[in-house]
Amino acid sequence: MSARDLFSAASAAMKNAYAPYSRFPVGAAVRTEAGAIHAGCNIENASYPEGWCAETTALGHLVMAGGGRVTEIAVVAEKMPKIMPCGGCRQRLAEFATEDAVLHLCDTNGVLETVPFSAVFPRGFSFEDGK
């Protein structure tokens, strides 16, 4: 499987973004160990803290489809090449990511860089840490 299909899903999701306030559409897609792809877009709200990010929407689709472990993540924004997930989304993604999951940083033409997810979020909160 190539990262291109994951980028395509994130890019298609971005086109459905509801971003009337920021005018900053974002799309994200995750791939599970089983190969399933789940995509999402950002959805804003007039009360800014009540909106949610593209990564959160993609994870919601993952959970609604029965879950799974995430091996790849792609994020694309119309106005920012190589956009990174925000801190909250990094924590949400960490809940589902495998130890060797990768993050594809994209522009509107495709994947620009691939990094280990653990490099961008090395020590997320976990109940396992506190035993």
Side-chain angles (χ1 to χ4, degrees):
M1 289 183 248
S2 87
R4 184 79 188 159
D5 58 343
L6 199 61
F7 162 76
S8 294
S11 187
M14 180 179 66
K15 291 180 177 134
N16 292 319
Y18 179 73
Y21 308 105
S22 71
R23 297 190 184 352
F24 193 83
V26 180
V30 297
R31 184 189 324 269
T32 66
E33 290 175 313
I37 293 176
H38 305 281
C41 61
N42 57 320
I43 303 169
E44 295 180 347
N45 188 284
S47 176
Y48 265 6
E50 300 306 316
W52 58 89
C53 300
E55 298 89 339
T56 302
T57 306
L59 289 173
H61 287 224
L62 164 82
V63 170
M64 291 301 296
R69 302 286 294 154
V70 171
T71 59
E72 290 182 83
I73 305 147
V75 184
V76 62
E78 199 173 75
K79 299 177 182 179
M80 183 184 291
K82 293 170 108 176
I83 190 167
M84 293 289 285
C86 71
C89 285
R90 291 180 203 193
Q91 177 63 50
R92 287 180 195 94
L93 289 163
E95 186 85 11
F96 297 93
T98 61
E99 285 186 32
D100 59 346
V102 295
L103 172 62
H104 303 292
L105 306 174
C106 309
D107 69 5
T108 56
N109 296 310
V111 175
L112 296 176
E113 183 179 356
T114 299
V115 297
F117 181 71
S118 61
V120 298
F121 201 65
R123 297 180 65 159
F125 178 81
S126 169
F127 281 112
E128 294 173 12
D129 294 338
K131 290 186 181 167

